[in-house]
Amino acid sequence: MVISEEFINDALDRIKPGEVIITYTNDQSSVDIDDLVSIKININDNEYSVLRLIAVAKAHNDPVLMSKWVITDELANRKYSRVGSLALLSRIIDYVLIESGYDTYVSRSFNSQELRHTLINGPQDLKLRALEALGLDVPFSFKMANRFDEIDDVVKGLSGEFISRYLDLRSYLLNNTSLEYLLNYLDLLFRNA
């Protein structure tokens, strides 16, 4: 399927990524962030990938969204800051797409088995496991957008201290979505881990 210019223009109108430069190519897709965000769109990519690129531009150009995931100077040397930033950015990208009316694309991208596997068999480092789970937690993005949250289906039949703490982390992040709060709360939740 070839991505049409009409599809791109509709996405730009709906997502409103701010000032961006769009380049069409048959090469790789990418987002370059300097003073101005440049999006290189491979016209042979799938639509969801293109939508994510445009949502990345919005997450970078919107000061409110950027403040939630960006690594500040104070956080640059903290352990897990890069992993936490990427996890939050993934959730924010999907949130932007949901808010822009692309929720069916986001729903189809969700792999509940992968999230469940990470919750059960993720890294032994519990903070890292929680961050990896957050990066996969598409239902969290729906919850951010005040939509149906499928996490109950994912954790059905699961129990244990880690699951309980992860669900606590999700609840906390809904009202305190920022990298600094995420890292601080991880330290609090898993201080003995």
Side-chain angles (χ1 to χ4, degrees):
M1 171 183 198
V2 175
I3 302 294
S4 70
E5 193 170 344
E6 182 181 348
F7 177 83
I8 302 294
N9 288 334
D10 183 54
L12 292 169
D13 286 343
R14 288 167 68 176
I15 297 172
K16 297 178 181 37
E19 194 172 347
V20 296
I21 296 173
I22 303 288
T23 306
Y24 299 97
T25 179
N26 284 324
D27 197 11
Q28 288 185 301
S29 297
S30 65
V31 176
D32 297 319
I33 298 171
D34 288 317
D35 291 337
L36 192 63
V37 179
S38 174
I39 305 172
K40 189 188 299 182
I41 295 176
N42 182 338
I43 57 170
N44 297 310
D45 270 350
N46 66 57
E47 292 175 345
Y48 182 59
S49 297
V50 171
L51 292 172
R52 286 184 66 82
L53 291 173
I54 296 171
V56 166
K58 178 167 180 98
H60 179 77
N61 282 334
D62 184 307
V64 173
L65 293 177
M66 193 164 92
S67 70
K68 295 176 183 299
W69 64 270
V70 75
I71 301 172
T72 61
D73 290 342
E74 298 82 34
L75 300 175
N77 294 321
R78 283 199 51 190
K79 190 173 181 181
Y80 308 109
S81 62
R82 186 173 302 270
V83 177
S85 174
L86 291 174
L88 285 174
L89 180 57
S90 289
R91 294 307 95 238
I92 289 166
I93 288 169
D94 284 342
Y95 164 78
V96 166
L97 293 178
I98 293 162
E99 287 286 291
S100 301
Y102 291 108
D103 43 317
T104 54
Y105 287 91
V106 177
S107 290
R108 282 185 279 173
S109 76
F110 178 48
N111 185 334
S112 62
Q113 290 304 102
E114 187 178 14
L115 175 56
R116 188 176 169 90
H117 177 76
T118 301
L119 290 169
I120 299 168
N121 298 317
Q124 293 300 312
D125 180 330
L126 297 182
K127 290 179 185 178
L128 185 56
R129 183 188 303 184
L131 291 172
E132 286 184 7
L134 182 64
L136 299 169
D137 195 346
V138 171
F140 182 76
S141 295
F142 276 92
K143 189 78 167 176
M144 288 173 68
N146 294 315
R147 307 276 179 84
F148 177 69
D149 175 7
E150 300 174 47
I151 198 66
D152 291 337
D153 297 338
V154 175
V155 298
K156 191 175 212 165
L158 300 181
S159 61
E161 195 171 339
F162 176 78
I163 300 298
S164 175
R165 288 180 186 187
Y166 180 72
L167 294 175
D168 188 31
L169 176 67
R170 288 177 97 245
S171 295
Y172 177 77
L173 284 177
L174 280 175
N175 297 317
N176 304 289
T177 309
S178 81
L179 181 58
E180 182 176 8
Y181 289 141
L182 170 61
L183 296 176
N184 290 343
Y185 206 66
L186 275 177
D187 287 344
L188 181 66
L189 280 177
F190 299 107
R191 65 176 157 246
N192 297 326

